[in-house]
Amino acid sequence: MKKVILIAIALIIELAGHSQTAAEYYAKGLEKSKNKDFKGAVVEYTKALEINPKLADVYTSRSEAKMNLFDFRGVISDITSYLELNPQNPYAYSFRALAKEFIKDYQGAIDDYTKAIELNPLIADAYSKRGNAKRILLNFAGAIDDFNKALKIDPNLAEVYVNRGLSKQGMQDYQGAIADYSSAIEINPDNAEAYSNRGGIRLAFKEFSAAINDFTKAIEIDPNYARAYYGRGFAKIISGQKYSGCLDLSKAGELGNEQAYELIKEYCNQ
C-alpha cells in the first residue's frame, strides 16, 4: 500500500511539473510573438501543446503566430483544435473564416462567418466579411443583404460602403454604387478606393471632368495607385487632353498596370 501511495505521489509531482513546463513554454511563446519572432513562438507553443494538448489558449496564440507567417492551413488546423475545446466562441469561427479566405475557400469562410453570426448576431465584422465572400462568389444580392446588416449595427464602416458599392455595380445599380462610394468618402475622406471606384463609374457615363477629379483625389491620397492613373489617363485622352493622359498611362504602366500599355499603343504611339 505504501508503495502505491509513493507511486501516486510521484505521478502527481510529474504532472505538476509538466503543467508548469507547459506554462513556461507558453510564456516563452508569448514573449517571442511580442518580439515578432513568430517562427520561434510556434516552436514554443508546440512544446506546450505536446505536454498538454488541451490548452485552448495556446492554439489561438499559435494560430495568430502562424497567420503572421502566412501559414493559413496551419491557422485553420489550430482554430479547429481550439473549437473542439471551446465550440461557442464566435470570434474563433471568424478568425478561421479569414484564413479560409486566404486559401480561396470562400464557401468555407461563409459557413464559418454564418456560425459566428449564429453565436453572436451583433458582430458587424462577421456580416461585412461574409458579404465580401459572397461578393467574390458573385452572389451580389446576398452580399448587399449582409452589408446592410453590418451597417445597421455600425453605420460608420467606410469599407462596407465601398464593398456594397462594388456589389451594386455587379447588379448594374450604378447610381446606388455612386451613393455608397460617396458615403464612404464622407466617413473617411482619405479612402482612395472610393474615389477611384466612383471615378470609374463617372468615366463610364462620360462625366469626364468629374471622373478626372475623383481619380486625381485618389492619386493625391495614394501616389502609387496604378488603377487611378489608368482611369485618369483614359478620361483625359477621351476629353482631349492627350499628352497629359498619355503621361498618366505611362505612370500606370510603371506601377504595374499592364492594360495601360495597350491604351498607349492605341492612343499615344501615333
PDB file of all heavy atoms in Angstrom, residues 184-220:
ATOM      1  N   ALA A 184     -18.923  56.481 -48.245  1.00  0.00           N
ATOM      2  CA  ALA A 184     -17.617  56.061 -47.738  1.00  0.00           C
ATOM      3  C   ALA A 184     -16.674  57.252 -47.622  1.00  0.00           C
ATOM      4  O   ALA A 184     -15.932  57.389 -46.637  1.00  0.00           O
ATOM      5  CB  ALA A 184     -17.007  54.997 -48.648  1.00  0.00           C
ATOM      6  N   ILE A 185     -16.725  58.136 -48.608  1.00  0.00           N
ATOM      7  CA  ILE A 185     -15.858  59.318 -48.606  1.00  0.00           C
ATOM      8  C   ILE A 185     -16.249  60.283 -47.487  1.00  0.00           C
ATOM      9  O   ILE A 185     -15.381  60.898 -46.849  1.00  0.00           O
ATOM     10  CB  ILE A 185     -15.918  60.010 -49.981  1.00  0.00           C
ATOM     11  CG1 ILE A 185     -15.208  59.133 -51.024  1.00  0.00           C
ATOM     12  CG2 ILE A 185     -15.294  61.402 -49.929  1.00  0.00           C
ATOM     13  CD1 ILE A 185     -15.497  59.519 -52.452  1.00  0.00           C
ATOM     14  N   GLU A 186     -17.540  60.400 -47.223  1.00  0.00           N
ATOM     15  CA  GLU A 186     -17.985  61.259 -46.117  1.00  0.00           C
ATOM     16  C   GLU A 186     -17.447  60.757 -44.785  1.00  0.00           C
ATOM     17  O   GLU A 186     -17.051  61.546 -43.919  1.00  0.00           O
ATOM     18  CB  GLU A 186     -19.513  61.294 -46.080  1.00  0.00           C
ATOM     19  CG  GLU A 186     -20.142  62.113 -47.197  1.00  0.00           C
ATOM     20  CD  GLU A 186     -21.660  62.059 -47.156  1.00  0.00           C
ATOM     21  OE1 GLU A 186     -22.199  61.591 -46.127  1.00  0.00           O
ATOM     22  OE2 GLU A 186     -22.302  62.482 -48.130  1.00  0.00           O
ATOM     23  N   ILE A 187     -17.427  59.435 -44.622  1.00  0.00           N
ATOM     24  CA  ILE A 187     -16.930  58.849 -43.374  1.00  0.00           C
ATOM     25  C   ILE A 187     -15.412  58.915 -43.310  1.00  0.00           C
ATOM     26  O   ILE A 187     -14.829  59.247 -42.274  1.00  0.00           O
ATOM     27  CB  ILE A 187     -17.403  57.384 -43.252  1.00  0.00           C
ATOM     28  CG1 ILE A 187     -18.932  57.333 -43.116  1.00  0.00           C
ATOM     29  CG2 ILE A 187     -16.747  56.687 -42.056  1.00  0.00           C
ATOM     30  CD1 ILE A 187     -19.513  55.948 -43.294  1.00  0.00           C
ATOM     31  N   ASN A 188     -14.768  58.620 -44.439  1.00  0.00           N
ATOM     32  CA  ASN A 188     -13.309  58.607 -44.491  1.00  0.00           C
ATOM     33  C   ASN A 188     -12.843  59.331 -45.752  1.00  0.00           C
ATOM     34  O   ASN A 188     -12.754  58.724 -46.825  1.00  0.00           O
ATOM     35  CB  ASN A 188     -12.784  57.175 -44.476  1.00  0.00           C
ATOM     36  CG  ASN A 188     -11.268  57.119 -44.582  1.00  0.00           C
ATOM     37  OD1 ASN A 188     -10.594  58.151 -44.444  1.00  0.00           O
ATOM     38  ND2 ASN A 188     -10.719  55.941 -44.833  1.00  0.00           N
ATOM     39  N   PRO A 189     -12.545  60.621 -45.651  1.00  0.00           N
ATOM     40  CA  PRO A 189     -12.142  61.398 -46.828  1.00  0.00           C
ATOM     41  C   PRO A 189     -10.827  60.937 -47.445  1.00  0.00           C
ATOM     42  O   PRO A 189     -10.454  61.420 -48.526  1.00  0.00           O
ATOM     43  CB  PRO A 189     -12.010  62.827 -46.271  1.00  0.00           C
ATOM     44  CG  PRO A 189     -12.803  62.834 -45.012  1.00  0.00           C
ATOM     45  CD  PRO A 189     -12.669  61.451 -44.448  1.00  0.00           C
ATOM     46  N   ASP A 190     -10.127  60.026 -46.785  1.00  0.00           N
ATOM     47  CA  ASP A 190      -8.857  59.520 -47.311  1.00  0.00           C
ATOM     48  C   ASP A 190      -9.006  58.128 -47.923  1.00  0.00           C
ATOM     49  O   ASP A 190      -8.020  57.398 -48.062  1.00  0.00           O
ATOM     50  CB  ASP A 190      -7.795  59.487 -46.207  1.00  0.00           C
ATOM     51  CG  ASP A 190      -7.391  60.880 -45.762  1.00  0.00           C
ATOM     52  OD1 ASP A 190      -7.407  61.791 -46.609  1.00  0.00           O
ATOM     53  OD2 ASP A 190      -7.074  61.062 -44.575  1.00  0.00           O
ATOM     54  N   ASN A 191     -10.204  57.770 -48.308  1.00  0.00           N
ATOM     55  CA  ASN A 191     -10.447  56.459 -48.894  1.00  0.00           C
ATOM     56  C   ASN A 191     -10.218  56.535 -50.405  1.00  0.00           C
ATOM     57  O   ASN A 191     -11.118  56.877 -51.173  1.00  0.00           O
ATOM     58  CB  ASN A 191     -11.865  55.981 -48.578  1.00  0.00           C
ATOM     59  CG  ASN A 191     -12.062  54.515 -48.892  1.00  0.00           C
ATOM     60  OD1 ASN A 191     -11.680  54.029 -49.953  1.00  0.00           O
ATOM     61  ND2 ASN A 191     -12.668  53.795 -47.957  1.00  0.00           N
ATOM     62  N   ALA A 192      -9.015  56.195 -50.821  1.00  0.00           N
ATOM     63  CA  ALA A 192      -8.647  56.319 -52.236  1.00  0.00           C
ATOM     64  C   ALA A 192      -9.481  55.396 -53.115  1.00  0.00           C
ATOM     65  O   ALA A 192      -9.856  55.768 -54.243  1.00  0.00           O
ATOM     66  CB  ALA A 192      -7.159  56.008 -52.410  1.00  0.00           C
ATOM     67  N   GLU A 193      -9.793  54.208 -52.630  1.00  0.00           N
ATOM     68  CA  GLU A 193     -10.558  53.259 -53.432  1.00  0.00           C
ATOM     69  C   GLU A 193     -11.949  53.793 -53.753  1.00  0.00           C
ATOM     70  O   GLU A 193     -12.461  53.625 -54.868  1.00  0.00           O
ATOM     71  CB  GLU A 193     -10.668  51.914 -52.717  1.00  0.00           C
ATOM     72  CG  GLU A 193     -11.359  50.843 -53.546  1.00  0.00           C
ATOM     73  CD  GLU A 193     -11.473  49.513 -52.834  1.00  0.00           C
ATOM     74  OE1 GLU A 193     -11.155  49.451 -51.622  1.00  0.00           O
ATOM     75  OE2 GLU A 193     -11.885  48.540 -53.492  1.00  0.00           O
ATOM     76  N   ALA A 194     -12.571  54.448 -52.785  1.00  0.00           N
ATOM     77  CA  ALA A 194     -13.911  55.000 -53.014  1.00  0.00           C
ATOM     78  C   ALA A 194     -13.882  56.060 -54.113  1.00  0.00           C
ATOM     79  O   ALA A 194     -14.753  56.086 -54.995  1.00  0.00           O
ATOM     80  CB  ALA A 194     -14.468  55.578 -51.715  1.00  0.00           C
ATOM     81  N   TYR A 195     -12.869  56.936 -54.067  1.00  0.00           N
ATOM     82  CA  TYR A 195     -12.747  57.946 -55.118  1.00  0.00           C
ATOM     83  C   TYR A 195     -12.520  57.286 -56.484  1.00  0.00           C
ATOM     84  O   TYR A 195     -13.147  57.656 -57.482  1.00  0.00           O
ATOM     85  CB  TYR A 195     -11.589  58.896 -54.810  1.00  0.00           C
ATOM     86  CG  TYR A 195     -11.904  59.962 -53.807  1.00  0.00           C
ATOM     87  CD1 TYR A 195     -11.373  59.909 -52.521  1.00  0.00           C
ATOM     88  CD2 TYR A 195     -12.723  61.041 -54.125  1.00  0.00           C
ATOM     89  CE1 TYR A 195     -11.653  60.894 -51.576  1.00  0.00           C
ATOM     90  CE2 TYR A 195     -13.003  62.044 -53.199  1.00  0.00           C
ATOM     91  CZ  TYR A 195     -12.464  61.955 -51.922  1.00  0.00           C
ATOM     92  OH  TYR A 195     -12.749  62.927 -51.005  1.00  0.00           O
ATOM     93  N   SER A 196     -11.615  56.318 -56.532  1.00  0.00           N
ATOM     94  CA  SER A 196     -11.289  55.677 -57.805  1.00  0.00           C
ATOM     95  C   SER A 196     -12.488  54.923 -58.369  1.00  0.00           C
ATOM     96  O   SER A 196     -12.777  55.004 -59.570  1.00  0.00           O
ATOM     97  CB  SER A 196     -10.105  54.729 -57.613  1.00  0.00           C
ATOM     98  OG  SER A 196      -9.741  54.115 -58.834  1.00  0.00           O
ATOM     99  N   ASN A 197     -13.199  54.202 -57.514  1.00  0.00           N
ATOM    100  CA  ASN A 197     -14.373  53.467 -57.981  1.00  0.00           C
ATOM    101  C   ASN A 197     -15.465  54.409 -58.488  1.00  0.00           C
ATOM    102  O   ASN A 197     -16.106  54.145 -59.515  1.00  0.00           O
ATOM    103  CB  ASN A 197     -14.931  52.596 -56.852  1.00  0.00           C
ATOM    104  CG  ASN A 197     -14.023  51.437 -56.503  1.00  0.00           C
ATOM    105  OD1 ASN A 197     -13.028  51.179 -57.189  1.00  0.00           O
ATOM    106  ND2 ASN A 197     -14.339  50.732 -55.434  1.00  0.00           N
ATOM    107  N   ARG A 198     -15.670  55.497 -57.752  1.00  0.00           N
ATOM    108  CA  ARG A 198     -16.668  56.473 -58.200  1.00  0.00           C
ATOM    109  C   ARG A 198     -16.239  57.107 -59.512  1.00  0.00           C
ATOM    110  O   ARG A 198     -17.058  57.322 -60.416  1.00  0.00           O
ATOM    111  CB  ARG A 198     -16.894  57.535 -57.117  1.00  0.00           C
ATOM    112  CG  ARG A 198     -18.083  58.448 -57.408  1.00  0.00           C
ATOM    113  CD  ARG A 198     -18.362  59.391 -56.239  1.00  0.00           C
ATOM    114  NE  ARG A 198     -17.320  60.396 -56.062  1.00  0.00           N
ATOM    115  CZ  ARG A 198     -17.349  61.363 -55.140  1.00  0.00           C
ATOM    116  NH1 ARG A 198     -18.368  61.421 -54.294  1.00  0.00           N
ATOM    117  NH2 ARG A 198     -16.371  62.244 -55.037  1.00  0.00           N
ATOM    118  N   GLY A 199     -14.947  57.378 -59.634  1.00  0.00           N
ATOM    119  CA  GLY A 199     -14.428  57.930 -60.880  1.00  0.00           C
ATOM    120  C   GLY A 199     -14.639  56.991 -62.050  1.00  0.00           C
ATOM    121  O   GLY A 199     -14.949  57.423 -63.164  1.00  0.00           O
ATOM    122  N   GLY A 200     -14.493  55.688 -61.794  1.00  0.00           N
ATOM    123  CA  GLY A 200     -14.694  54.715 -62.866  1.00  0.00           C
ATOM    124  C   GLY A 200     -16.110  54.724 -63.403  1.00  0.00           C
ATOM    125  O   GLY A 200     -16.336  54.636 -64.624  1.00  0.00           O
ATOM    126  N   ILE A 201     -17.098  54.846 -62.510  1.00  0.00           N
ATOM    127  CA  ILE A 201     -18.492  54.907 -62.956  1.00  0.00           C
ATOM    128  C   ILE A 201     -18.742  56.202 -63.719  1.00  0.00           C
ATOM    129  O   ILE A 201     -19.388  56.215 -64.780  1.00  0.00           O
ATOM    130  CB  ILE A 201     -19.453  54.793 -61.763  1.00  0.00           C
ATOM    131  CG1 ILE A 201     -19.306  53.414 -61.095  1.00  0.00           C
ATOM    132  CG2 ILE A 201     -20.897  55.001 -62.221  1.00  0.00           C
ATOM    133  CD1 ILE A 201     -20.145  53.257 -59.847  1.00  0.00           C
ATOM    134  N   ARG A 202     -18.212  57.308 -63.209  1.00  0.00           N
ATOM    135  CA  ARG A 202     -18.410  58.589 -63.887  1.00  0.00           C
ATOM    136  C   ARG A 202     -17.755  58.585 -65.266  1.00  0.00           C
ATOM    137  O   ARG A 202     -18.291  59.164 -66.220  1.00  0.00           O
ATOM    138  CB  ARG A 202     -17.860  59.715 -63.012  1.00  0.00           C
ATOM    139  CG  ARG A 202     -18.758  59.990 -61.806  1.00  0.00           C
ATOM    140  CD  ARG A 202     -18.177  60.994 -60.837  1.00  0.00           C
ATOM    141  NE  ARG A 202     -19.214  61.447 -59.896  1.00  0.00           N
ATOM    142  CZ  ARG A 202     -18.971  62.187 -58.821  1.00  0.00           C
ATOM    143  NH1 ARG A 202     -17.727  62.558 -58.538  1.00  0.00           N
ATOM    144  NH2 ARG A 202     -19.971  62.559 -58.033  1.00  0.00           N
ATOM    145  N   LEU A 203     -16.625  57.905 -65.372  1.00  0.00           N
ATOM    146  CA  LEU A 203     -15.975  57.770 -66.679  1.00  0.00           C
ATOM    147  C   LEU A 203     -16.865  56.984 -67.631  1.00  0.00           C
ATOM    148  O   LEU A 203     -17.034  57.367 -68.803  1.00  0.00           O
ATOM    149  CB  LEU A 203     -14.626  57.075 -66.506  1.00  0.00           C
ATOM    150  CG  LEU A 203     -13.875  56.694 -67.781  1.00  0.00           C
ATOM    151  CD1 LEU A 203     -13.601  57.925 -68.638  1.00  0.00           C
ATOM    152  CD2 LEU A 203     -12.565  55.991 -67.425  1.00  0.00           C
ATOM    153  N   ALA A 204     -17.454  55.895 -67.155  1.00  0.00           N
ATOM    154  CA  ALA A 204     -18.327  55.064 -67.987  1.00  0.00           C
ATOM    155  C   ALA A 204     -19.534  55.854 -68.482  1.00  0.00           C
ATOM    156  O   ALA A 204     -20.038  55.609 -69.588  1.00  0.00           O
ATOM    157  CB  ALA A 204     -18.783  53.835 -67.203  1.00  0.00           C
ATOM    158  N   PHE A 205     -19.990  56.809 -67.682  1.00  0.00           N
ATOM    159  CA  PHE A 205     -21.139  57.634 -68.072  1.00  0.00           C
ATOM    160  C   PHE A 205     -20.710  58.947 -68.738  1.00  0.00           C
ATOM    161  O   PHE A 205     -21.513  59.874 -68.862  1.00  0.00           O
ATOM    162  CB  PHE A 205     -22.031  57.907 -66.854  1.00  0.00           C
ATOM    163  CG  PHE A 205     -22.911  56.744 -66.491  1.00  0.00           C
ATOM    164  CD1 PHE A 205     -22.497  55.813 -65.558  1.00  0.00           C
ATOM    165  CD2 PHE A 205     -24.130  56.567 -67.124  1.00  0.00           C
ATOM    166  CE1 PHE A 205     -23.289  54.721 -65.233  1.00  0.00           C
ATOM    167  CE2 PHE A 205     -24.945  55.487 -66.807  1.00  0.00           C
ATOM    168  CZ  PHE A 205     -24.517  54.547 -65.863  1.00  0.00           C
ATOM    169  N   LYS A 206     -19.425  59.001 -69.130  1.00  0.00           N
ATOM    170  CA  LYS A 206     -18.864  60.126 -69.887  1.00  0.00           C
ATOM    171  C   LYS A 206     -18.902  61.441 -69.113  1.00  0.00           C
ATOM    172  O   LYS A 206     -18.954  62.522 -69.714  1.00  0.00           O
ATOM    173  CB  LYS A 206     -19.580  60.277 -71.236  1.00  0.00           C
ATOM    174  CG  LYS A 206     -19.440  59.034 -72.116  1.00  0.00           C
ATOM    175  CD  LYS A 206     -20.123  59.217 -73.465  1.00  0.00           C
ATOM    176  CE  LYS A 206     -19.975  57.960 -74.313  1.00  0.00           C
ATOM    177  NZ  LYS A 206     -20.614  58.097 -75.631  1.00  0.00           N
ATOM    178  N   GLU A 207     -18.864  61.349 -67.795  1.00  0.00           N
ATOM    179  CA  GLU A 207     -18.746  62.548 -66.961  1.00  0.00           C
ATOM    180  C   GLU A 207     -17.249  62.765 -66.714  1.00  0.00           C
ATOM    181  O   GLU A 207     -16.711  62.529 -65.626  1.00  0.00           O
ATOM    182  CB  GLU A 207     -19.503  62.344 -65.648  1.00  0.00           C
ATOM    183  CG  GLU A 207     -20.991  62.126 -65.837  1.00  0.00           C
ATOM    184  CD  GLU A 207     -21.705  61.769 -64.540  1.00  0.00           C
ATOM    185  OE1 GLU A 207     -21.077  61.845 -63.458  1.00  0.00           O
ATOM    186  OE2 GLU A 207     -22.890  61.391 -64.598  1.00  0.00           O
ATOM    187  N   PHE A 208     -16.549  63.189 -67.767  1.00  0.00           N
ATOM    188  CA  PHE A 208     -15.088  63.160 -67.763  1.00  0.00           C
ATOM    189  C   PHE A 208     -14.465  64.080 -66.706  1.00  0.00           C
ATOM    190  O   PHE A 208     -13.516  63.703 -66.023  1.00  0.00           O
ATOM    191  CB  PHE A 208     -14.560  63.515 -69.155  1.00  0.00           C
ATOM    192  CG  PHE A 208     -15.029  62.568 -70.218  1.00  0.00           C
ATOM    193  CD1 PHE A 208     -15.706  63.027 -71.333  1.00  0.00           C
ATOM    194  CD2 PHE A 208     -14.816  61.196 -70.098  1.00  0.00           C
ATOM    195  CE1 PHE A 208     -16.151  62.161 -72.315  1.00  0.00           C
ATOM    196  CE2 PHE A 208     -15.256  60.307 -71.075  1.00  0.00           C
ATOM    197  CZ  PHE A 208     -15.923  60.790 -72.191  1.00  0.00           C
ATOM    198  N   SER A 209     -14.981  65.276 -66.576  1.00  0.00           N
ATOM    199  CA  SER A 209     -14.420  66.213 -65.605  1.00  0.00           C
ATOM    200  C   SER A 209     -14.557  65.681 -64.183  1.00  0.00           C
ATOM    201  O   SER A 209     -13.597  65.700 -63.388  1.00  0.00           O
ATOM    202  CB  SER A 209     -15.111  67.570 -65.733  1.00  0.00           C
ATOM    203  OG  SER A 209     -14.594  68.482 -64.781  1.00  0.00           O
ATOM    204  N   ALA A 210     -15.755  65.179 -63.858  1.00  0.00           N
ATOM    205  CA  ALA A 210     -15.979  64.625 -62.515  1.00  0.00           C
ATOM    206  C   ALA A 210     -15.120  63.391 -62.290  1.00  0.00           C
ATOM    207  O   ALA A 210     -14.573  63.184 -61.196  1.00  0.00           O
ATOM    208  CB  ALA A 210     -17.452  64.287 -62.330  1.00  0.00           C
ATOM    209  N   ALA A 211     -14.965  62.569 -63.332  1.00  0.00           N
ATOM    210  CA  ALA A 211     -14.139  61.371 -63.215  1.00  0.00           C
ATOM    211  C   ALA A 211     -12.688  61.750 -62.959  1.00  0.00           C
ATOM    212  O   ALA A 211     -12.021  61.176 -62.077  1.00  0.00           O
ATOM    213  CB  ALA A 211     -14.255  60.532 -64.481  1.00  0.00           C
ATOM    214  N   ILE A 212     -12.188  62.723 -63.726  1.00  0.00           N
ATOM    215  CA  ILE A 212     -10.794  63.164 -63.546  1.00  0.00           C
ATOM    216  C   ILE A 212     -10.585  63.689 -62.132  1.00  0.00           C
ATOM    217  O   ILE A 212      -9.554  63.404 -61.494  1.00  0.00           O
ATOM    218  CB  ILE A 212     -10.433  64.230 -64.604  1.00  0.00           C
ATOM    219  CG1 ILE A 212     -10.326  63.575 -65.984  1.00  0.00           C
ATOM    220  CG2 ILE A 212      -9.108  64.926 -64.244  1.00  0.00           C
ATOM    221  CD1 ILE A 212     -10.249  64.568 -67.140  1.00  0.00           C
ATOM    222  N   ASN A 213     -11.540  64.447 -61.621  1.00  0.00           N
ATOM    223  CA  ASN A 213     -11.431  64.963 -60.252  1.00  0.00           C
ATOM    224  C   ASN A 213     -11.343  63.817 -59.236  1.00  0.00           C
ATOM    225  O   ASN A 213     -10.546  63.874 -58.290  1.00  0.00           O
ATOM    226  CB  ASN A 213     -12.622  65.860 -59.924  1.00  0.00           C
ATOM    227  CG  ASN A 213     -12.572  67.192 -60.648  1.00  0.00           C
ATOM    228  OD1 ASN A 213     -11.503  67.625 -61.083  1.00  0.00           O
ATOM    229  ND2 ASN A 213     -13.714  67.835 -60.790  1.00  0.00           N
ATOM    230  N   ASP A 214     -12.161  62.782 -59.430  1.00  0.00           N
ATOM    231  CA  ASP A 214     -12.136  61.655 -58.495  1.00  0.00           C
ATOM    232  C   ASP A 214     -10.815  60.894 -58.572  1.00  0.00           C
ATOM    233  O   ASP A 214     -10.227  60.538 -57.542  1.00  0.00           O
ATOM    234  CB  ASP A 214     -13.301  60.701 -58.784  1.00  0.00           C
ATOM    235  CG  ASP A 214     -14.587  61.118 -58.090  1.00  0.00           C
ATOM    236  OD1 ASP A 214     -14.524  61.960 -57.170  1.00  0.00           O
ATOM    237  OD2 ASP A 214     -15.663  60.593 -58.455  1.00  0.00           O
ATOM    238  N   PHE A 215     -10.362  60.633 -59.778  1.00  0.00           N
ATOM    239  CA  PHE A 215      -9.083  59.915 -59.926  1.00  0.00           C
ATOM    240  C   PHE A 215      -7.932  60.741 -59.354  1.00  0.00           C
ATOM    241  O   PHE A 215      -7.013  60.202 -58.725  1.00  0.00           O
ATOM    242  CB  PHE A 215      -8.819  59.600 -61.397  1.00  0.00           C
ATOM    243  CG  PHE A 215      -9.725  58.550 -61.978  1.00  0.00           C
ATOM    244  CD1 PHE A 215     -10.391  58.770 -63.173  1.00  0.00           C
ATOM    245  CD2 PHE A 215      -9.911  57.331 -61.329  1.00  0.00           C
ATOM    246  CE1 PHE A 215     -11.219  57.799 -63.722  1.00  0.00           C
ATOM    247  CE2 PHE A 215     -10.746  56.353 -61.872  1.00  0.00           C
ATOM    248  CZ  PHE A 215     -11.405  56.585 -63.067  1.00  0.00           C
ATOM    249  N   THR A 216      -7.981  62.061 -59.561  1.00  0.00           N
ATOM    250  CA  THR A 216      -6.934  62.943 -59.031  1.00  0.00           C
ATOM    251  C   THR A 216      -6.905  62.882 -57.508  1.00  0.00           C
ATOM    252  O   THR A 216      -5.831  62.815 -56.891  1.00  0.00           O
ATOM    253  CB  THR A 216      -7.160  64.389 -59.497  1.00  0.00           C
ATOM    254  OG1 THR A 216      -7.084  64.437 -60.926  1.00  0.00           O
ATOM    255  CG2 THR A 216      -6.110  65.327 -58.905  1.00  0.00           C
ATOM    256  N   LYS A 217      -8.091  62.883 -56.898  1.00  0.00           N
ATOM    257  CA  LYS A 217      -8.154  62.805 -55.438  1.00  0.00           C
ATOM    258  C   LYS A 217      -7.594  61.477 -54.952  1.00  0.00           C
ATOM    259  O   LYS A 217      -6.852  61.439 -53.950  1.00  0.00           O
ATOM    260  CB  LYS A 217      -9.608  62.977 -54.973  1.00  0.00           C
ATOM    261  CG  LYS A 217      -9.755  63.097 -53.471  1.00  0.00           C
ATOM    262  CD  LYS A 217      -9.053  64.313 -52.920  1.00  0.00           C
ATOM    263  CE  LYS A 217      -9.205  64.425 -51.417  1.00  0.00           C
ATOM    264  NZ  LYS A 217      -8.496  65.591 -50.860  1.00  0.00           N
ATOM    265  N   ALA A 218      -7.906  60.399 -55.652  1.00  0.00           N
ATOM    266  CA  ALA A 218      -7.375  59.082 -55.266  1.00  0.00           C
ATOM    267  C   ALA A 218      -5.854  59.079 -55.334  1.00  0.00           C
ATOM    268  O   ALA A 218      -5.177  58.537 -54.445  1.00  0.00           O
ATOM    269  CB  ALA A 218      -7.955  58.001 -56.174  1.00  0.00           C
ATOM    270  N   ILE A 219      -5.300  59.718 -56.360  1.00  0.00           N
ATOM    271  CA  ILE A 219      -3.838  59.767 -56.533  1.00  0.00           C
ATOM    272  C   ILE A 219      -3.190  60.643 -55.464  1.00  0.00           C
ATOM    273  O   ILE A 219      -2.104  60.335 -54.968  1.00  0.00           O
ATOM    274  CB  ILE A 219      -3.497  60.269 -57.949  1.00  0.00           C
ATOM    275  CG1 ILE A 219      -3.886  59.201 -58.979  1.00  0.00           C
ATOM    276  CG2 ILE A 219      -2.016  60.622 -58.061  1.00  0.00           C
ATOM    277  CD1 ILE A 219      -3.915  59.695 -60.411  1.00  0.00           C
ATOM    278  N   GLU A 220      -3.867  61.724 -55.080  1.00  0.00           N
ATOM    279  CA  GLU A 220      -3.335  62.564 -54.010  1.00  0.00           C
ATOM    280  C   GLU A 220      -3.236  61.776 -52.701  1.00  0.00           C
ATOM    281  O   GLU A 220      -2.291  61.943 -51.932  1.00  0.00           O
ATOM    282  CB  GLU A 220      -4.235  63.786 -53.806  1.00  0.00           C
ATOM    283  CG  GLU A 220      -4.144  64.805 -54.937  1.00  0.00           C
ATOM    284  CD  GLU A 220      -5.171  65.917 -54.790  1.00  0.00           C
ATOM    285  OE1 GLU A 220      -6.002  65.846 -53.849  1.00  0.00           O
ATOM    286  OE2 GLU A 220      -5.156  66.846 -55.619  1.00  0.00           O
TER     287      GLU A 220
END
